[in-house]
Amino acid sequence: MGRHRAWWGLALAVGALVMLLGRPAAAEEAERSPALVVGKLRLAAPGTSWSFLALRNNDLELNPSFPLFIGGSLAAEVREAVAVEVGARTSFTFGADAYVRAGTMPKLRDWRGGAGVGTVIQVPLLVGVRYLAYNPQLLTDMQAHSSFLCLTAAAGLEATRWLARHFGLTARTLVGLSVPVHEWATSDAGAPGPEHPRFWAGLDFSVDVGLAF
């Protein structure tokens, strides 16, 4: 009986030692692993631009525009791998747009330490839909107003500096393409200009800065 008690005591002591040694490693691994859901609030920064690539009279035209955008977006990332984002912007010279995008956010580099502090570099790959209300003079000289539903895709580079495990600063650049699939148009007013293009696409270069939490 005494020998069995000794073996049970030894087993309990070894188990307790394993738990004590494994607890710091498990805690450090938990700190290193990303949070289940990461939120990011971004604002449009100077440098955001729009360009229209239009096909008219068998000629391919590129119409660049550098309006001052006011707007931003809110995104949620699951394990810093899958992202869903909603956003809207407006400009006095361009018009306005709103979009919903989703996609993947693979990590290019992760320099965070054990406390979750450090820099993460990601490559956003996003697809979605965009509602676009544009200034017609960007495409024609007709004083008309049109709104479009577009399919959109974007890719870029994003850097997030985590100052604490659940708070950081983020900045990104995106290059996107928007192709219209439906148009809502109002009546024209004023003198007619060049014919409406047979095909056009929007090229979007955006710069966003904000908070991660």
Side-chain angles (χ1 to χ4, degrees):
M1 180 67 70
R3 181 177 298 178
H4 287 298
R5 288 180 179 176
W7 279 111
W8 276 109
L10 180 61
L12 290 174
V14 171
L17 181 62
V18 170
M19 291 181 63
L20 288 174
L21 293 177
R23 185 174 299 174
E28 183 176 351
E29 182 64 25
E31 287 183 345
R32 287 179 179 272
S33 62
L36 177 60
V37 178
V38 171
K40 291 181 179 178
L41 178 64
R42 306 182 180 95
L43 297 177
T48 298
S49 65
W50 259 94
S51 298
F52 280 101
L53 190 65
L55 180 63
R56 184 177 17 242
N57 295 327
N58 296 323
D59 293 326
L60 197 60
E61 304 174 1
L62 180 62
N63 302 287
S65 175
F66 299 90
L68 177 61
F69 280 102
I70 301 174
S73 65
L74 179 63
E77 298 177 14
V78 180
R79 289 295 185 190
E80 296 181 353
V82 178
V84 178
E85 177 183 15
V86 295
R89 298 176 302 186
T90 185
S91 170
F92 296 109
T93 58
F94 169 75
D97 71 329
Y99 56 85
V100 178
R101 296 188 292 217
T104 184
M105 299 279 292
K107 294 178 188 176
L108 191 61
R109 291 287 188 273
D110 190 343
W111 289 294
R112 284 176 295 190
V117 175
T119 302
V120 178
I121 306 296
Q122 294 171 279
V123 180
L125 301 171
L126 306 169
V127 295
V129 294
R130 182 190 300 270
Y131 170 80
L132 174 64
Y134 79 95
N135 183 335
Q137 293 182 350
L138 296 177
L139 289 179
T140 72
D141 288 338
M142 300 175 66
Q143 299 300 311
H145 174 77
S146 293
S147 301
F148 295 90
L149 177 66
C150 302
L151 298 179
T152 182
L157 194 65
E158 179 169 349
T160 303
R161 175 65 181 180
W162 290 99
L163 305 176
R165 179 168 171 76
H166 296 292
F167 179 77
L169 305 176
T170 184
R172 75 174 181 184
T173 61
L174 282 180
V175 177
L177 176 68
S178 296
V179 178
V181 294
H182 184 74
E183 177 180 3
W184 298 275
T186 62
S187 59
D188 298 341
E195 66 172 315
H196 198 79
R198 288 183 293 161
F199 169 81
W200 66 267
L203 304 177
D204 180 13
F205 176 77
S206 63
V207 180
D208 303 288
V209 295
L211 302 177
F213 48 90

